[in-house]
Amino acid sequence: MLMDISSEMIHSLLPLFMFTTLGASAFTIGLIEGLAESTALIVKVFSGALSDFLGKRKGLAVFGYALGALSKPLFAVAPVLGVVVTARLLDRVGKGIRGAPRDAMVADMTPPHLRGAAFGLRQSLDTAGAFLGPLLAVGLMLLWANDFRAVFWVASIPALIAVALLAFGLREPDRPRAEKRQNPISRENLRRLSTSYWWVVGVGAVFTLARFSEAFLVLLAQQRGVPIALVPLVMVAMNLIYALSAYPFGKLSDRMSHRSLLALGLGVLIVADLVLASAGHWSTVLAGVALWGLHMGITQGLLATMVADTAPADLRGTAYGFFNLMSGIVMLLASVVAGLLWDRLGASSTFYAGAVFCLLALLVLALQPAKQPGRT
């Protein structure tokens, strides 16, 4: 939660900072955001595999959170776009290093019958930070007359607190030690990842294709007349809905069909994209953003649960890593395409394309194998 407060104070303002202060185009912003988010997801494959190999996860998580915290001041001092890109990539490398070990620790700590609720709770706290961060950004932007850099400096504080809390406040659960350490990404071990797991990886990739960078929500709000200081409220609205819905839908996923919940999430995202594509006023943008947040609450913790359910316990870090590797590659493609469409055909085309990709994801769900482990 603390790291997300820090990150979202910056990320809710960063597209506008690049667009208005540094003169970046929508395509450039899409490329930077796609590179950043895909970097985080791709790095997870290596950190997850390493955590499985070492049999320890906390050290990698602490290092990842520390790298993210140390990147924050670079945003405040960035004179040109290149420094912003460097800071953004360092921040996302840190996220990539910590992500898979953290999720694997959640799975290690949680009984199987409560795993959906646990990931829903983790997602809710994560998203509560993503709600509070933009809210703080709005207050400070109003207080300091749109001083982006001052807000970026303040964002460093909760990040450092997050590192201290993890380093000194969390005891990693004991895990059985293997007699001999094995390479978790060896051919023999990868064969242990079932067809059901790889199906989840494919579904996650198509979901990512349909859900490009949230930077475009920020740009749309500004284009539809929201004052710069108030634009982070868009992310506040999205993350409020996300935080409120993630835990209830996580608990629901322990009792009902995963495929049905995924289809519901895609249906909500289709409606969100159509609302955003037709938005001519900030109030319509807000409605579309709220639906976007509901979609996130339905699906993101659910996909994490499905990975845990379909992967061997000793390969969970690797499993999350490969899941995020595929999602990262697709995130880069989706954000670049979204930026190109925005620059050449206008904002509406970006969101109409998102709705088309959602229909593709529904087709993938319809082609699901007859039976999956767990509640499918």
Side-chain angles (χ1 to χ4, degrees), residues 207-274:
F207 262 71
T208 304
L209 186 63
R211 185 183 54 81
F212 39 79
S213 171
E214 290 149 15
F216 293 100
L217 301 179
V218 174
L219 292 178
L220 182 67
Q222 192 265 343
Q223 192 180 85
R224 295 297 184 264
V226 178
I228 288 178
L230 299 181
V231 163
L233 289 176
V234 169
M235 301 304 293
V236 170
M238 189 200 80
N239 286 305
L240 176 61
I241 301 298
Y242 189 179
L244 291 175
S245 60
Y247 181 63
F249 279 106
K251 289 194 68 173
L252 186 60
S253 74
D254 289 327
R255 299 192 298 273
M256 69 170 290
S257 163
H258 291 167
R259 180 165 62 174
S260 297
L261 274 180
L262 287 173
L264 174 62
L266 278 169
V268 172
L269 184 56
I270 289 172
V271 176
D273 280 328
L274 294 177

Side-chain angles (χ1 to χ4, degrees), residues 130-146:
F131 160 76
L132 294 171
L135 202 59
L136 284 170
V138 169
L140 294 175
M141 286 288 280
L142 291 171
L143 180 65
W144 292 333
N146 295 340

Side-chain angles (χ1 to χ4, degrees), residues 66-153:
L67 187 59
L70 293 174
S71 72
K72 305 303 185 192
L74 288 177
F75 293 103
V77 301
V80 293
L81 198 60
V83 178
V84 171
V85 173
T86 301
R88 191 80 169 95
L89 291 178
L90 281 175
D91 177 53
R92 297 296 89 179
V93 167
K95 181 176 181 178
I97 290 171
R98 67 186 182 250
R102 179 204 61 201
D103 285 346
M105 275 199 294
V106 172
D108 291 343
M109 293 174 177
T110 310
H113 69 284
L114 293 176
R115 198 166 283 148
F119 278 106
L121 178 60
R122 191 268 293 167
Q123 201 67 57
S124 287
L125 290 173
D126 197 51
T127 311
F131 160 76
L132 294 171
L135 202 59
L136 284 170
V138 169
L140 294 175
M141 286 288 280
L142 291 171
L143 180 65
W144 292 333
N146 295 340
D147 189 340
F148 288 100
R149 297 181 191 276
V151 177
F152 294 164
W153 277 116

Side-chain angles (χ1 to χ4, degrees), residues 209-212 216-217 220 223-224 266 269-280 284 292 334 337-342 345-361:
L209 186 63
R211 185 183 54 81
F212 39 79
F216 293 100
L217 301 179
L220 182 67
Q223 192 180 85
R224 295 297 184 264
L266 278 169
L269 184 56
I270 289 172
V271 176
D273 280 328
L274 294 177
V275 169
L276 291 166
S278 61
T284 311
W292 191 290
V337 169
L340 281 172
L341 289 171
W342 186 293
L345 300 176
S348 294
S349 64
T350 297
F351 294 100
Y352 282 129
V356 172
F357 288 133
C358 286
L359 293 174
L360 175 62

Side-chain angles (χ1 to χ4, degrees), residues 18-62:
M18 291 188 287
F19 190 76
T20 61
T21 303
L22 302 180
S25 66
F27 168 73
T28 301
I29 292 171
L31 179 61
I32 292 170
E33 290 297 308
L35 278 172
E37 295 303 329
S38 62
T39 297
L41 295 173
I42 291 168
V43 169
K44 286 182 182 181
V45 70
F46 303 106
S47 64
L50 185 58
S51 75
D52 287 335
F53 177 75
L54 296 174
K56 296 289 184 181
R57 312 198 193 276
K58 178 179 171 179
L60 285 169
V62 171

Side-chain angles (χ1 to χ4, degrees), residues 199-210 303 323 326-327 330-331:
W199 179 83
V200 175
V201 170
V203 169
V206 179
F207 262 71
T208 304
L209 186 63
L303 287 167
F323 176 84
M326 183 62 68
S327 297
V330 175
M331 173 62 79

